[in-house]
Amino acid sequence: SQFWVQMLADLFQLPISILGTTDGPAFGAALTAGVGVGAWDSFADTSSVIQTISTIDPIQNPQFHAKYLKWRNWMETAPFVKN
């Protein structure tokens, strides 16, 4: 949904491209297999067959980002998190 995609874009502070297919996981698996068998030399070479219908840009929210950094710092120092 639009909500979840926007939330991920905001969290990672990266744009997220929406594919022109409803079979995203299967399409990704097919591209991975194609790279594996040599149909493409690299994942970058698969860009010619990937159709995006829109891109969701992150919303810059300093308060949200500050809370995310606080959580991330806590996770890095939490005793129950093992490396």
Side-chain angles (χ1 to χ4, degrees):
S1 75
Q2 177 75 22
F3 172 80
W4 287 105
V5 175
Q6 185 67 62
M7 185 176 71
L8 290 172
D10 295 348
L11 177 66
F12 296 122
Q13 286 298 294
L14 293 169
I16 295 181
S17 297
I18 306 300
L19 298 180
T21 179
T22 58
D23 300 318
F27 186 64
L31 293 177
T32 301
V35 171
V37 300
W40 295 284
D41 292 330
S42 68
F43 287 106
D45 293 340
T46 65
S47 63
S48 63
V49 297
I50 299 173
Q51 177 190 23
T52 58
I53 57 173
S54 67
T55 301
I56 307 299
D57 292 314
I59 297 171
Q60 304 297 323
N61 184 331
Q63 290 178 319
F64 176 76
H65 192 64
K67 288 180 183 181
Y68 167 72
L69 291 176
K70 184 177 179 180
W71 171 82
R72 192 169 127 186
N73 183 52
W74 178 79
M75 286 299 291
E76 290 174 356
T77 59
F80 59 84
V81 177
K82 297 187 177 18
N83 292 334

